[in-house]
Amino acid sequence: MNKRHPRRFPSFVFLASILGLGICATASAQIGSGYTWTPYTDSGVHIQWQTNGSYSKHPLKVDRTASDGVYDYTSSSNVEKFILKGSAVNRIEYRGKNYSSGVYQFQGWLRVNDSATSDLAVVQCFHAILLKWYSDSGGRLRYHSASDFDGTSAELRVNLKTNARGVWTKVNIIHDASANRATVYIDNQKVVDNHPTGNLDSFYFKYGAYDSSGSDDETIEWRDVTIFKRN
């Protein structure tokens, strides 16, 4: 989603159990039993967006509403809305800290609004994994592998779900940065199994809405998002 600016921001403690989403330190991942998964919290977690070729960011606040006329972000009752309102903005996303080793898991529920007509990147482990939503097939969720980022690792592009428009879809991404492998579950079903992600030096999770075409009225909702580290 943000290929051109891999290290624009300083490091933050890794994105996670977001302030205001009501997820406590004892929460456990629903995928990957047999391990201890610890959610992260950090006051430095932020949203970022790009308008007219320049980046901006805000620190996360509980139940924050942010807008500059071409995008909106709201967070309330465990649901976050990322809204692109015109061609002057192409993304609004949460971004977490770079990491280079260990095993991490992204977990959340995704819903794309009925009026969305463009192809949208909705979540990524940057430099490793990209999930995109397409407007055909009733709303199609698709996996793109690290080869789309580094051009060298094993390529994989596979459809994860169709008829996904307007419905909640559970997404779990497990990334083993030490072994450079990814496993993805959609609605608790494994759809990508231990696939190579590329031998790169840093990664981070980010999620929200990224529409390179800059179309109007694109709304992405994420609820109950947590990012975990495996102990």
Side-chain angles (χ1 to χ4, degrees), residues 145-162:
S145 67
S147 63
D148 291 340
F149 295 105
D150 66 16
T152 60
S153 58
E155 180 178 355
L156 180 64
R157 300 182 186 184
V158 61
N159 291 332
L160 307 179
K161 183 176 180 176
T162 58

Side-chain angles (χ1 to χ4, degrees), residues 16 37 43 45 48 51-52 61 63 68 78 82 91 95 102 125 137 141 144 151 153 156 190 192-193:
W37 296 89
S43 60
V45 168
Q48 66 180 50
T51 58
N52 298 321
K61 302 296 182 182
D63 292 333
D68 72 351
N78 290 13
F82 302 82
R91 76 196 71 184
R95 182 201 191 283
C125 173
S137 302
L141 194 60
H144 293 253
S153 58
L156 180 64
K190 186 184 293 184
V192 175
D193 187 8

Side-chain angles (χ1 to χ4, degrees), residues 155-173:
E155 180 178 355
L156 180 64
R157 300 182 186 184
V158 61
N159 291 332
L160 307 179
K161 183 176 180 176
T162 58
N163 296 313
R165 182 190 296 274
V167 300
W168 288 109
T169 298
K170 186 184 178 189
V171 177
N172 290 79
I173 302 170

Side-chain angles (χ1 to χ4, degrees), residues 92-130:
I92 177 170
E93 303 168 294
Y94 268 177
R95 182 201 191 283
K97 177 185 179 296
N98 288 13
Y99 63 93
S100 58
S101 62
V103 181
Y104 296 83
Q105 178 173 179
F106 174 95
Q107 177 174 276
W109 282 256
L110 165 71
R111 183 167 66 181
V112 180
N113 71 318
D114 289 342
S115 61
T117 58
S118 299
D119 302 339
L120 297 159
V122 291
V123 60
Q124 68 173 299
C125 173
F126 190 61
H127 286 167
I129 303 156
L130 176 66

Side-chain angles (χ1 to χ4, degrees), residues 51-69:
T51 58
N52 298 321
S54 62
Y55 279 95
S56 299
K57 64 178 181 178
H58 275 317
L60 174 66
K61 302 296 182 182
V62 175
D63 292 333
R64 181 188 179 93
T65 298
S67 176
D68 72 351

